[in-house]
């Protein structure tokens, strides 16, 4: 009876007579399982991932662990830094992508360049990278002057006795550090139609011996606007005389102070062209300056003829409508003018006026400047080779005949052109007229 009930149950589950036509006798459970297996092998339908295999346990005596499969030749192993399945342990773990590096916000790094020999040995890159590679800067040749001046060590066939660059420094007094004089002084200005350049430098002999510069340079502007007046005063003393540096500075300060107090009267005389009034007034204040030197020499117990200096002064009105230039001075020094490529000495012998001091008579010259003129006033250290050597004025004429005046560095290079036999301090001021 129980067997009969079991057969009825089986027929109701799989052989329902009222459900439809007669079932296929070949449609069995084994036949369906075999069909499903064939479809899975062909890749037609996905199959749920099997559970990961258990980690290998410890080996028993006499057992050997099977070798892991080796990827085919030429195939690289997966990079764990890239996104996607890692293949480690559980295959569902995904590595996030590597974030890009933030742009640099600080100062750019300076990479050390390889030695020149190593760079020359490397082959030049080909392709677009070679066209984009910037060319390396070409090294300046030896002796190159960034100011645009040729490399002239000295003029003439014979080299100067001393070196061109400063050597020893002057000895300093701890109680008088304010009186230290620098080796070189540069000055420049531009007003209206003219450009001013001035320089004072220690001579080769003083640089070698560690002595202070004895020449003195002073530039000052008195007043404001078009009524202002520019003064250039320079003085040079004898290097063998004691106190020559102090005498040159005292003389320039004394004359500059007098010019500043009389600035308005002097400006009016310059505009009006009153040459005689200018001559007498400038000679008076120059005489007073030398008188103070003589009085100071007596106080110091020094020789009056030794405690002195040659003086040159230049007055330049700021008013662009006034082209009158006034030069004055006494003692060693000079005034020169470069016009149409030729130098002119503006200090002829003047016997009509008495000497101001034992070094020489008073010098005065007032002239109207022309476009293209260059006016030069200098101390005795530069005036001597300008008058005695033809190479120096010829070289300066070639350099200063350009359309534009030189800069400060170029003017300094011009002022220190060296010749054998001329090792004194040099002070020069030049004015280019536009």
């Amino acid at each position: 009876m129980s067997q009969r009930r079991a057969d009825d149950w089986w027929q109701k589950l799989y052989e329902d007579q009222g459900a439809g036509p007669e079932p296929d006798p070949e449609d069995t459970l084994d036949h369906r399982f075999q069909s499903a297996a064939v479809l899975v092998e062909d890749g037609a339908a996905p199959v749920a991932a099997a559970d990961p295999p258990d980690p290998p346990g410890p080996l028993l005596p006499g057992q050997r662990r099977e070798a892991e499969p080796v990827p085919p030749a030429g195939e690289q192993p997966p990079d764990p830094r890239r996104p996607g399945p890692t293949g480690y342990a559980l295959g569902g773990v995904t590595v996030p992508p590597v974030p890009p590096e933030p742009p640099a916000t600080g100062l750019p790094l300076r990479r050390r360049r390889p030695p020149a020999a190593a760079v020359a040995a490397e082959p030049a890159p080909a392709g677009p990278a070679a066209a984009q590679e910037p060319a390396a800067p070409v090294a300046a040749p030896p002796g190159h002057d960034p100011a645009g001046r040729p490399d002239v060590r000295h003029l003439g066939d014979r080299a100067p006795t001393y070196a061109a660059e400063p050597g020893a420094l002057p000895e300093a007094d701890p109680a008088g550090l304010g009186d230290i004089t620098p080796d070189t002084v540069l000055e420049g200005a531009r007003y209206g139609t003219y450009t001013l350049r001035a320089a004072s430098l220690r001579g080769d002999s003083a640089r070698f011996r560690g002595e202070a510069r004895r020449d003195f340079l002073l530039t000052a502007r008195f007043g404001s606007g078009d009524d202002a007046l520019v003064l250039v005063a320079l003085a040079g003393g004898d290097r063998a005389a004691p106190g020559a540096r102090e005498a040159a500075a005292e003389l320039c300060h004394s004359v500059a102070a007098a010019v500043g107090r009389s600035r308005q009267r002097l400006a009016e005389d310059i505009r009006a062209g009153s040459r005689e009034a200018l001559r007498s007034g400038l000679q008076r204040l120059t005489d007073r300056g030398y008188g103070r030197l003589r009085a100071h020499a007596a106080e110091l117990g020094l020789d009056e003829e030794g405690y002195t200096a040659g003086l040159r002064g230049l007055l330049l009105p700021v008013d662009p409508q006034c082209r009158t230039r006034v030069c004055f001075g006494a003692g060693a020094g000079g005034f020169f003018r470069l016009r149409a490529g030729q130098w002119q000495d503006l200090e002829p012998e003047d016997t009509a006026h008495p000497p101001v001091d034992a070094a020489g008579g008073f010098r005065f010259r007032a002239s109207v400047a022309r476009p293209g003129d260059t006016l030069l006033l200098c101390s005795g250290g530069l005036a001597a080779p300008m008058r005695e050597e033809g190479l120096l004025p010829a070289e300066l004429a070639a350099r200063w005949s350009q359309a534009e005046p030189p800069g400060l560095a170029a003017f300094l290079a011009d002022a220190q052109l060296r010749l054998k036999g001329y090792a004194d301090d040099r002070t020069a001021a030049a004015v280019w007229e536009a």
Side-chain angles (χ1 to χ4, degrees):
M1 188 67 178
S2 58
Q3 181 67 28
R4 176 70 178 271
R5 290 180 181 178
D7 294 342
D8 293 343
W9 175 84
W10 183 262
Q11 290 178 0
K12 289 181 180 179
L13 181 62
Y14 291 101
E15 300 177 3
D16 189 2
Q17 300 294 331
E22 185 74 13
D24 188 0
E26 296 182 358
D27 186 12
T28 62
L29 184 59
D30 295 337
H31 183 271
R32 292 189 178 187
F33 179 80
Q34 184 177 3
S35 301
V38 171
L39 293 176
V40 172
E41 291 177 357
D42 295 341
V47 180
D51 294 337
D54 297 334
L59 296 177
L60 298 177
Q63 290 184 343
R64 298 177 60 185
R65 190 182 303 276
E66 296 182 359
E68 298 182 356
V70 180
E75 180 179 351
Q76 298 294 334
D79 188 357
R81 296 175 298 176
R82 295 183 179 179
T86 63
Y88 300 156
L90 299 178
V93 180
T94 304
V95 179
V98 179
E101 296 183 1
T105 58
L107 295 177
L109 296 178
R110 299 185 62 183
R111 301 183 181 273
R112 185 183 299 274
R113 292 182 174 271
V119 174
E122 295 179 358
Q132 299 177 1
E133 184 70 18
V138 180
H144 174 70
D145 183 9
R149 291 298 191 257
D151 181 23
V152 179
R153 299 183 181 275
H154 60 84
L155 299 178
D157 299 333
R158 299 185 301 166
T161 304
Y162 304 104
E165 299 299 330
L169 289 172
E171 183 180 358
D173 182 6
L177 297 179
D179 299 332
I180 293 179
T181 304
D183 177 271
T184 304
V185 174
L186 278 174
E187 188 62 278
R190 184 189 297 267
Y191 290 103
T193 60
Y194 65 85
T195 300
L196 171 66
R197 298 286 183 262
S200 180
L201 57 146
R202 200 162 44 139
D204 294 344
S205 176
R207 288 176 170 178
F208 175 77
R209 302 176 187 278
E211 299 173 351
R213 175 170 51 90
R214 294 174 175 83
D215 279 9
F216 190 82
L217 171 66
L218 185 149
T219 55
R221 175 178 60 88
F222 300 107
S224 60
D226 291 345
D227 296 333
L229 195 64
V230 174
L231 168 68
V232 180
L234 55 91
D238 185 3
R239 65 180 179 181
R245 177 171 59 91
E246 292 77 6
E250 182 179 352
L251 181 60
C252 286
H253 288 153
S254 175
V255 171
V259 169
R261 291 190 295 266
S262 307
R263 186 260 314 169
Q264 186 174 0
R265 178 64 181 274
L266 289 171
E268 293 175 356
D269 291 341
I270 291 175
R271 287 196 187 93
S274 304
R275 296 173 181 266
E276 291 302 323
L278 288 170
R279 176 191 289 271
S280 60
L282 292 174
Q283 184 172 357
R284 262 197 317 273
L285 63 87
T286 302
D287 189 20
R288 291 174 184 172
Y290 278 104
R292 290 189 175 92
L293 285 185
R294 290 189 291 268
H296 197 191
E299 295 175 359
L300 298 175
L302 300 176
D303 184 9
E304 294 183 0
E305 296 183 357
Y307 191 78
T308 187
L311 172 70
R312 290 298 179 276
L314 175 64
L315 294 177
L316 301 168
V318 173
D319 186 1
Q321 303 299 325
C322 182
R323 285 184 169 268
T324 303
R325 313 295 183 237
V326 179
C327 307
F328 65 95
F335 298 121
F336 304 91
R337 181 173 59 196
L338 179 62
R339 175 172 290 177
Q342 300 294 328
W343 284 104
Q344 303 172 0
D345 192 344
L346 302 183
E347 289 191 359
E349 291 295 331
D350 188 359
T351 58
H353 299 82
V356 177
D357 65 342
F362 178 72
R363 311 296 188 189
F364 176 83
R365 183 66 180 259
S367 61
V368 178
R370 300 179 185 177
D373 285 357
T374 299
L375 186 64
L376 171 66
L377 69 155
C378 52
S379 63
L382 185 59
M386 283 290 294
R387 293 190 175 105
E388 300 170 1
E389 300 288 341
L391 294 176
L392 180 60
E395 181 68 21
L396 292 180
R399 298 186 179 204
W400 292 356
S401 297
Q402 306 298 326
E404 292 295 329
L408 290 179
F411 181 76
L412 176 62
D414 299 341
Q416 60 184 359
L417 285 173
R418 306 166 65 234
L419 296 95
K420 186 174 180 60
Y422 300 92
D424 291 341
D425 296 350
R426 288 186 179 184
T427 304
V431 178
W432 281 262
E433 301 287 347

